[in-house]
Amino acid sequence: QVQLVESGGGLVQAGGSLRLSCAEAGRADNVYAMGWYRQASGKEREFVEAISWNGGHTYYDNSVKGRFTISRDNDKNAAYLQMNNLKPEEKAVYYCAVEVGGRYYIQHLDRVHTWGKGTLVTVSS
């Protein structure tokens, strides 16, 4: 049983910042990375950013380049997402996820082993 708990969501004005945290209890086998996803109302869940557990390699969607930064703390089994210059259209429930290993061509979303319950981020204009 692996559990992920997100925190840090809330209400912020456009251009503001938030820092999301993800704490993991338990550990899945063959963990490759920790990732962050988001799902806006009426839209599909989408990949935001991820970081590999061992090498610290980062992956991100181009829409957040230069604004979002993912980090990890292996000792604490935690992952973080620093979000700067938030935009109103980025209002969504943000989910932490454990991604397992696989071939390089497997997309991040298809690697997800466990989802957190999500934390709501609201960006006002």
Side-chain angles (χ1 to χ4, degrees), residues 5 23 37 41 46 58 69 72-73 76 79-80 87 89 91 94 97 101 107 110 121:
V5 180
Y37 296 75
S41 179
E46 64 180 14
T58 58
T69 302
R72 57 164 166 77
D73 187 333
K76 296 182 178 180
Y80 310 91
K87 303 176 181 180
E89 59 266 33
K91 174 184 177 181
Y94 283 70
Q107 301 300 302
D110 294 327
V121 172

Side-chain angles (χ1 to χ4, degrees), residues 38-49:
R38 64 189 176 193
Q39 185 167 21
S41 179
K43 300 182 66 177
E44 296 182 352
R45 191 167 301 185
E46 64 180 14
F47 170 75
V48 177
E49 198 161 1

Side-chain angles (χ1 to χ4, degrees), residues 4 18-19 21 24 33 37 39 42 51 55 65 69 71 75 83-87 90 96 99 108 114 116 119 122:
L4 300 175
L18 285 174
R19 179 178 170 84
S21 299
E24 179 186 15
Y37 296 75
Q39 185 167 21
I51 183 167
K65 183 179 181 180
T69 302
S71 61
D75 293 332
M83 305 184 294
N84 297 326
N85 194 22
L86 282 159
K87 303 176 181 180
E90 292 177 317
C96 178
E99 300 179 5
H108 287 278
T114 303
T119 184
T122 301

Side-chain angles (χ1 to χ4, degrees), residues 55-68:
H57 303 292
T58 58
Y59 313 85
Y60 54 86
D61 185 83
N62 286 332
S63 68
V64 305
K65 183 179 181 180
R67 297 188 298 116
F68 290 12

Side-chain angles (χ1 to χ4, degrees), residues 4-6 21-23 34-37 79 94-98 112 114-118:
L4 300 175
V5 180
E6 302 101 329
S21 299
C22 174
M34 297 290 288
W36 287 95
Y37 296 75
Y94 283 70
Y95 298 90
C96 178
V98 172
V112 175
T114 303
W115 293 104
K117 295 184 181 297

